[in-house]
Amino acid sequence: MKITGVKGMNDILPAAVGRWHEMERLAREVFHLYGYREVRTPAVEHAALFARGVGEATDIVNKEMYVFEDKGEELLALRPEGTAGTVRAFIEHGCHVEGLQKWFYIGPMFRRERPQKGRYRQFHQIGCEAFGAGQPAVDVEQIALLADLFSRLGVTTDLKLNSVGDAACRPAYLASLKGYLQGHAGALCADCRDRIERNPLRVLDCKVESCQPVLQGAPRLLDALCQGCKDHLGAVTSGLDALGVAYRLDPRLVRGLDYYTRTAYEFASDALGSQSAVAGGGRYDGLVETLGGQPTPGIGFALGQERLALILEAIGRAPPEQGPAVFFLSADEAGAKEALRRASQLRKLGIACDLDPRGGKMKTQFKQAERVGARYAVVLGGNEAASGEAKLKDLATREELPVRLDDLAERLRE
Ligand code: HAM
């Protein structure tokens, strides 16, 4: 019986991988420009890390997390996101003593969501986290970094910004929001009614049409912010204005993870349809302490690579695949040996080349040369092997020029 891949977990085939290389190359370049260093943490963590970090009441932990008992000993989880594990590593290695830390990561995440376009069960994030600075300048710098990355990729996005308050102002706001929602529960969908007690902020994010009139009339957290949060938001918006980063204040923007304080934001793209968020992030000033570390402010974001790949495809940005410089075709046994020898020499000199180990018909070998995107082809047989002379064929123009095989590397470098 044929065994298929797991639903919602995708293969990225060689023909598509160029876009992934491109986004990762640019992301690494931009992170370097902004002083972020790479961290690599495991894909598996203790399930309790996410329950405590991301929040027990969130859909991510409550409904979507892959949790398993490791041989009946420990309850582990496939990471549904990168922040909690990064914070765990930061605490475990005592990194707070090193002052401000700016880290980034690239890797797979897992959520058992209902698969649809732009939503998968294994997906990949490019993310970053900055620890140790509560100043709004970090928020501004990080949002500008992400805007910079999108602009280098030629991708147009919409930035939505909000403040979700902090321990000083959110409790009173949540109480008034709950009161309001309870008063209008009859006009809300079942999901919303279910969330009023558990996670009232998430009700604001409901997309169901019939809920919208109630949600539009709901008290706004932006109006209930304490002075500290108001000042912080004001400094973030004026910082973005100063850098020319366009944004829209969205008082109903809430995020699906519980750790956020103050700044929360999302970048969306029209090219994506219903799963329009290509990146999201925000500040989490209490998370390090919640997970057992020294009180340390933090802020970060994550970008969904599958969604970015969909956008790059939609806008027709396909970085050219880098084929080999030359492809050796063999006319006979002696030619096949010579091809292997010459290919090995060129590869040692750092020149990419390829050959068809199956030999066979010239037409088939030429097809293979074109399929792998080779720039030139050289046919080798007993005569060429003996004389050291062959023809260098430009596969684009079909032009053929004589070449001494010993000069091949030099000619290709030209
Ligand atoms: P998030 O909003 O849950 O935030 O995910 C960030 C991005 O990951 C989303 O905007 C989306 O592009 C992508 N994504 C999420 N779920 C899926 C899925 N099922 N399929 C495909 N793509 C998906 C976080 O994960 C936070 N850790 C971000 C953060 C870092 N906040 C602070 N630091």
Side-chain angles (χ1 to χ4, degrees):
M1 198 181 69
K2 190 172 76 180
I3 299 179
T4 60
V6 176
K7 187 172 163 197
M9 307 208 180
N10 298 322
D11 302 306
I12 301 147
L13 295 179
V17 93
R19 284 195 195 96
W20 289 67
H21 287 168
E22 176 83 341
M23 63 176 99
E24 287 166 15
R25 184 183 66 76
L26 281 172
R28 284 175 194 281
E29 199 173 295
V30 170
F31 282 131
H32 176 68
L33 290 175
Y34 286 74
Y36 280 75
R37 293 148 71 217
E38 183 169 357
V39 63
R40 299 187 186 198
T41 66
V44 176
E45 297 274 359
H46 290 287
L49 174 71
F50 302 109
R52 198 154 13 125
V54 176
E56 220 133 14
T58 60
D59 284 353
I60 294 177
V61 170
N62 193 25
K63 297 187 189 160
E64 297 161 4
M65 199 155 71
Y66 285 96
V67 182
F68 61 99
E69 257 183 38
D70 184 15
K71 303 273 183 224
E73 283 176 12
E74 294 177 293
L75 203 56
L76 303 181
L78 296 185
R79 61 179 178 190
E81 58 101 54
T83 309
T86 305
V87 170
R88 193 239 348 110
F90 175 83
I91 298 169
E92 200 164 327
H93 300 281
C95 298
H96 62 279
V97 297
E98 292 170 40
L100 178 64
Q101 295 285 304
K102 300 200 282 188
W103 292 359
F104 77 90
Y105 49 86
I106 300 178
M109 310 289 159
F110 306 84
R111 296 183 193 173
R112 202 175 185 291
E113 296 198 72
R114 198 162 41 79
Q116 64 179 85
K117 184 179 170 202
R119 193 164 73 186
Y120 312 105
R121 290 180 170 179
Q122 172 175 313
F123 59 97
H124 297 76
Q125 287 186 341
I126 297 177
C128 70
E129 317 290 350
F131 301 111
Q135 285 76 3
V138 194
D139 313 30
V140 174
E141 187 192 56
Q142 209 174 68
I143 295 171
L145 178 164
L146 191 47
D148 191 351
L149 175 59
F150 285 129
S151 123
R152 281 165 202 257
L153 284 159
V155 166
T156 313
T157 50
D158 242 347
L159 167 58
K160 289 185 283 185
L161 179 69
N162 193 15
S163 172
V164 294
D166 65 5
C169 52
R170 196 158 40 189
Y173 169 73
L174 286 181
S176 81
L177 177 64
K178 258 191 209 173
Y180 171 85
L181 294 173
Q182 275 154 355
H184 295 79
L188 291 172
C189 70
D191 262 355
C192 282
R193 284 202 302 275
D194 191 43
R195 281 182 173 144
I196 295 176
E197 279 306 315
R198 256 189 326 117
N199 203 349
L201 267 189
R202 284 295 278 177
V203 176
L204 297 177
D205 200 29
C206 178
K207 303 285 183 297
V208 173
E209 203 51 55
S210 57
C211 296
Q212 300 312 308
V214 176
L215 302 185
Q216 263 144 26
R220 300 178 347 147
L221 182 47
L222 270 183
D223 302 326
L225 293 179
C226 60
Q227 197 56 46
C229 287
K230 259 190 216 155
D231 292 346
H232 191 96
L233 180 61
V236 172
T237 53
S238 61
L240 292 174
D241 291 339
L243 294 185
V245 177
Y247 60 88
R248 182 166 62 80
L249 275 183
D250 179 354
R252 276 177 57 188
L253 174 76
V254 289
R255 308 260 306 121
L257 309 94
D258 276 356
Y259 46 62
Y260 292 110
T261 52
R262 298 191 165 170
T263 309
Y265 60 94
E266 256 172 32
F267 282 78
S269 160
D270 286 344
L272 283 174
S274 68
Q275 300 303 314
S276 66
V278 61
R283 183 164 275 290
Y284 46 81
D285 289 344
L287 182 60
V288 178
E289 207 179 348
T290 302
L291 293 176
Q294 301 289 324
T296 308
I299 176 164
F301 69 71
L303 172 162
Q305 289 189 264
E306 280 77 3
R307 293 190 191 173
L308 183 53
L310 284 170
I311 300 173
L312 294 177
E313 199 183 336
I315 63 174
R317 178 153 174 161
E321 263 189 87
Q322 279 284 319
V326 64
F327 194 96
F328 292 107
L329 296 83
S330 48
D332 52 32
E333 192 97 346
K337 272 200 192 130
E338 184 67 4
L340 264 182
R341 198 170 76 82
R342 294 290 174 181
S344 159
Q345 280 175 352
L346 289 188
R347 286 167 177 158
K348 282 192 184 122
L349 293 170
I351 296 174
C353 53
D354 210 348
L355 47 85
D356 193 334
R358 299 167 300 180
K361 282 191 196 143
M362 278 299 132
K363 198 173 154 197
T364 319
Q365 294 191 54
F366 268 113
K367 267 223 176 98
Q368 180 66 10
E370 275 165 4
R371 203 173 288 139
V372 299
R375 178 89 173 81
Y376 294 98
V378 174
V379 179
L380 296 176
N383 289 344
E384 285 78 9
S387 68
E389 309 260 340
K391 295 259 172 55
L392 182 65
K393 179 166 184 167
D394 185 323
L395 287 172
T397 62
R398 305 269 143 196
E399 202 183 351
E400 270 190 336
L401 289 170
V403 65
R404 271 175 45 82
L405 291 171
D406 285 343
D407 298 341
L408 194 54
E410 214 171 301
R411 285 282 289 281
L412 291 168
R413 284 214 174 100
E414 279 164 17

